[in-house]
Amino acid sequence: MISQKAKYALRALVALARAEPTGQTPTVGEIASGQNIPKKFLEQILLDLKHHGIVASKRGKAGGYMLLKPANRITFGEILRIVDGPIALLPCLSVVAYRRCDDCQDEQSCEVRHVFAKVALASRDILDQTTIADSLAGGDDNPVLRIAG
């Protein structure tokens, strides 16, 4: 299960992607109220995304937040890793934080690892190929909607 923080981060990015074509830079308050996200929590999330080069802030009367990368280049996997850390369900399957399981005698013959390796590959494939732009697209071509159905 993803954290609430990750879910809020993804929803905030979708809101910013929606605002992009209009040239608007929504404020934290506008995003928070529009996405039903606690404002203080959203401030922390956006600051973290800013430090990772995903969003930028603009000061002044027309200030607010904007995407630094195009929405079609920001993947769900990238955001989940930034916010929640490794995606793998077992430490021995993590790409970015590999660690041998404490109780493991042999990874090659571990039946549990073999099953979860398939899950990890399928999850990574979907998360690393699905972008914020994809989540805005409707219809059957949207991989997010195909999976949910």
Side-chain angles (χ1 to χ4, degrees):
M1 200 175 337
I2 69 170
S3 69
Q4 191 65 42
K5 184 177 180 181
K7 193 173 178 183
Y8 286 160
L10 291 165
R11 287 188 5 216
L13 291 171
V14 167
L16 290 174
R18 277 196 185 106
E20 214 172 43
T22 67
Q24 295 177 333
T25 53
T27 65
V28 173
E30 291 168 340
I31 299 167
S33 65
Q35 294 297 315
N36 197 27
I37 301 171
K39 186 177 175 186
K40 288 288 183 194
F41 198 24
L42 181 59
E43 287 172 350
Q44 295 171 353
I45 292 167
L46 290 172
L47 187 61
D48 198 21
L49 294 174
K50 183 177 176 180
H51 287 246
H52 282 89
I54 305 296
V55 300
S57 61
K58 183 178 173 185
R59 292 180 175 223
K61 186 177 178 182
Y65 279 86
M66 67 197 93
L67 297 177
L68 265 181
K69 294 168 58 174
N72 66 354
R73 290 196 32 235
I74 303 170
T75 68
F76 274 56
E78 175 182 18
I79 301 308
L80 288 177
R81 286 182 188 94
I82 288 170
V83 176
D84 284 350
I87 294 172
L89 297 173
L90 294 173
C92 64
L93 294 171
S94 177
V95 172
V96 295
Y98 169 85
R99 169 175 68 75
R100 188 179 180 100
C101 295
D102 295 335
D103 59 348
C104 184
Q105 293 181 13
D106 179 25
E107 286 182 356
Q108 299 303 316
S109 63
C110 177
E111 297 84 358
V112 174
R113 184 177 198 269
H114 290 290
V115 171
F116 282 97
K118 293 176 188 175
V119 173
L121 286 172
S123 296
R124 274 189 214 115
D125 186 45
I126 293 166
L127 294 170
D128 290 337
Q129 292 184 34
T130 304
T131 67
I132 297 298
D134 291 333
S135 70
L136 293 174
D140 292 335
D141 291 342
N142 183 342
V144 174
L145 296 177
R146 259 196 330 265
I147 300 299

